[in-house]
Amino acid sequence: MTDSALLSPDLRLDADWWRQAVVYQVYPRSFADSNADGIGDIAGVTSRIGYLAGLGVDAIWLSPFYPSALADGGYDVADYRNVAPELGTLDDFDAMVAAAHAVGIKVVVDIVPNHTSDLHPWFAEALASAPGSAARNRYIFRDGLGENGEQPPSDWISHFGGPAWTRLPSVDGVGGQWYCHLFAPEQPDLNWDNPEVREDFKTTLRFWADRGVDGYRVDVAHALAKDLSWPLRSKPTLEDEGVPLDGTDPLYDRNEVHEIYAEWREVFNSYDPPRTAVAEAYAPSERRALYARPTGLGQAFNFDLLKADYDATAFHDVITFCLNEAEKTGSSSTWVLSNHDVVRHATRYGLPAGTDYDEWLMTDGMQPAVDVAQGLRRARAATLLMLALPGSSYLYQGEELGLHEVADIPREALQDPIWLRTENTKKGRDGCRVPLPWDSAGHSFGFGSGPAHLPQPAGFSGTAVAAQRGRAESTLETYSEALRLRRQLQTVEELSWVETGRDDVLHFVRPGGWHCVSNFGTEPVALADGVVRLSSAPLVDGMLPGETTVWLTEWPVD
Ligand code: NOJ
Ligand code: CA
């Protein structure tokens, strides 16, 4: 904790703006479509900056908007220093940054360094070049095993299913080499042992910083450094299975990865204010702090809250652990309940604990049935609790509307590579990427004036922005009020737990007397003394009902 953690609205402009920011994730293709082609775009984001300012977010993080064949929703980047033509131009991007900055909103862009698109000029050059060439050495090409090289060079597996290796076709009767891709075959992994790769990404970081970007979200930050010594070491599991704590796994969370981020930090600190970064690092929790060091990326996502059941003990333990971890490094904690990769939290909380979401999606969301009202009630309670915690909260577009997962997208409309790569046994992540409803009626519910690139459900009519605006207890107005109050009450990055005498009720207080009480159970609980500032559902006879969170202050605040 530092003095500058004592925030006032003016301090949002200082170098520590990120420490307790509310960052709103925009999935650009599904946010707002300005030209009726069914695809959200940069001008669409600009047109909704007023909405975001009204909501009260401190920053927006844009998922990739770069040229891409969309083999993985844009996380297959063909040109890191440009805007996809269907999303706009660099001028549109500059206009969006200017509009955001004009209302005090910072802009964070997604950097995807583990892999490029197979349409990236480097990969085209690699394919046209001989084995062992400099062009191939930007990626991870190897000869296959077996008599004719017909077996992959190692047992590594792809996150989207199947082997993490694809073989090139034979040329003149000579079998092709294999290239590594930890994700889709259209996402070849880069070779981070290659200095040219390292330099090029620093150029990309500077490119966006020079355009006024304030920070970066770093995709798959834990996988860049790999042990590529031959023979390649066996690793038949994904990262969250048995990665050792000493940084020696062949693929994930290797110690050397931090050399890369130390170099990036020099780039960040060459700007005033220094650029910020947050790692998407699926490292063992104990090692997440390494990514969040001030000499590294500075902050790391933790998905512990997102993975926790809706349960007071689970939340308490996650919060305590994460705050301790953040303090160890001098970083601040991050909190996330939803993003573009997971079933929306309103839906998760309406399903029985332990539900396998992949299986549930395959039933089009029918088995088990979602308790829609309970899911939303819990989601609102969990969100209010999260927003009272010290550190930064990352919100995902549409959660402020209480959107549920769209589990019944027709199979022929699915876009996620997971659907194809698993031979149609897992549907993937499209259900949380459905274009936002802005209006209750009309073309694509106001997403644009044409169709939407993923079908929207009829129920969007009632959850649209227009349907919630001005309705005091709507989810949208509750989020707006929470963000307004949070800014007013924000304080040093600390909390103290207050004994509640109940296992299913959590109570903490932030310095200055900002109390948060969350009842995870079903029995109402009497409230501590204080002025009720906001609650996720109406109080009943002055009591805090089940599955509800309330914020109290020890004195009235204007
Ligand atoms: C994590 C991103 O959040 C996800 O959407 C993507 O598929 C993978 N990284 C690969 O880039
Ligand atoms: Ca468009």
Side-chain angles (χ1 to χ4, degrees), residues 32-41 86:
D33 172 20
S34 70
N35 62 351
D37 65 356
I39 303 166
D41 43 49
E86 69 276 19

Side-chain angles (χ1 to χ4, degrees), residues 51-84:
Y51 168 80
L52 296 166
L55 182 59
V57 305
D58 298 300
I60 50 175
W61 145 35
L62 286 102
S63 279
F65 49 80
Y66 315 111
S68 167
L70 297 186
D72 181 17
Y75 283 89
D76 46 320
V77 180
D79 179 355
Y80 289 90
R81 303 196 276 271
N82 213 334
V83 174

